Amino acid sequence: MKLSCLKHVKRESSIRPPAPNLYTDVTFVGDASGSMVSMGQAPTKGAEQFIRDQIKSANKTESKFHVEFTTFATTATTRFSGDPRNISAEKIHDCINGMLPTTFTKFYDSLIAAIKRQQTRMNKFYDSCTRETRQMIDENTWLIASVITTITDGMDNKSIGNAAATKRAVTNHRENFGATIIFLGANFNAEDFAATIGIAAENSLQVGCDEYHAAQAFRGMSLATMRASTQPTSDNIPLISRCLRQASCDPMEASTYNVKIPQTIV
């Protein structure tokens, strides 16, 4: 019989590696409003890299793996939702095109809805497990890994919900479902905005509005999402590194939002 955890058992060192997740759920909620045009091809290239990185992550495990890719402007559209190991070239192309800038910004409602969908999938998986497996999950909550990564570059002008409603949803998701939520913000102080919706400063990233810095941010975001979904959150290693913060926004631009980019330690 083939054991999915065999590679986690066989080892040469005395340090026991972590067991694999039983279920991984990764969601991307990306801004495709008109103002994103200043970032050039960074959002579309970043979308493709994100999908391909998730395919790599899924291929490294035999456990259940789900990816949702949602974009929003005036309305939200889920471009893909399923096992990334089965995604078609057509669907990847749709995710890429979904990040082309269009109209307005429906951030709050899009993020709240994505959180609810992820919770539904997590509950469905949990309910499908045996009593023994559910007990194991209750004692080791990291066996179900959930990550939501979201980016926006402008203030919401289409949602019914607001920052307070989003903060309630985010807080509930983090505290009751153990989710990790990563926020990327441009055109404003990302850390301050993240605080209004319940996301910690260490999981927020200031993104430059130009193509070069935005491309660095998208690449780093994809790698941070991979780490958050595959490694225990107790490893004390920040998901967003000092180097990524330096690469993702020009210090002069950041200063206009009253943001200080960390300096290199010599």
Side-chain angles (χ1 to χ4, degrees), residues 20-232:
N21 302 333
L22 296 176
Y23 174 60
T24 301
D25 196 301
V26 175
T27 293
F28 175 78
V29 184
D31 190 342
S33 61
S35 55
M36 292 284 285
V37 70
S38 68
M39 296 184 185
Q41 295 183 346
T44 53
K45 289 183 177 180
E48 180 175 11
Q49 188 64 59
F50 182 89
I51 292 295
R52 298 200 182 281
D53 283 344
Q54 295 309 313
I55 294 172
K56 289 179 183 178
S57 287
N59 282 332
K60 291 179 180 179
T61 179
E62 294 177 18
S63 301
K64 187 173 176 61
F65 206 109
H66 191 100
V67 168
E68 177 186 311
F69 193 98
T70 293
T71 61
F72 65 89
T74 301
T75 59
T77 303
T78 297
R79 308 286 174 174
F80 176 77
S81 184
D83 189 329
R85 289 166 290 208
N86 300 326
I87 190 171
S88 65
E90 181 182 0
K91 278 294 183 180
I92 293 176
H93 188 64
D94 188 36
C95 290
I96 295 170
N97 284 343
M99 286 301 292
L100 291 171
T102 54
T103 51
F104 298 101
T105 306
K106 193 175 186 178
F107 172 72
Y108 296 133
D109 288 355
S110 301
L111 180 56
I112 291 171
I115 288 173
K116 290 179 179 177
R117 289 193 297 271
Q118 189 174 71
Q119 290 176 347
T120 297
R121 292 191 297 268
M122 293 170 71
N123 283 331
K124 183 178 180 180
F125 173 80
Y126 181 84
D127 291 343
S128 71
C129 295
T130 64
R131 183 177 62 181
E132 291 77 13
T133 301
R134 290 198 298 268
Q135 181 178 349
M136 183 170 61
I137 293 170
D138 292 341
E139 295 171 353
N140 305 276
T141 55
W142 50 267
L143 287 172
I144 296 181
S146 57
V147 185
I148 291 184
T149 299
T150 185
I151 180 170
T152 187
D153 81 327
M155 294 303 173
D156 194 307
N157 51 20
K158 279 293 176 181
S159 289
I160 296 174
N162 55 19
T166 307
K167 185 174 184 177
R168 288 192 295 271
V170 166
T171 302
N172 171 61
H173 202 32
R174 184 182 63 250
E175 294 181 353
N176 296 320
F177 288 81
T180 297
I181 302 179
I182 302 171
F183 175 77
L184 285 72
N187 276 326
F188 50 74
N189 188 308
E191 184 176 317
D192 286 353
F193 184 87
T196 68
I197 57 173
I199 299 175
E202 59 264 27
N203 283 355
S204 65
L205 178 65
Q206 190 69 49
V207 181
C209 293
D210 63 290
E211 184 170 5
Y212 173 78
H213 289 96
Q216 307 308 308
F218 270 93
R219 183 70 191 110
M221 169 272 296
S222 186
L223 293 174
T225 303
M226 289 177 69
R227 279 195 52 237
S229 64
T230 58
Q231 297 180 15

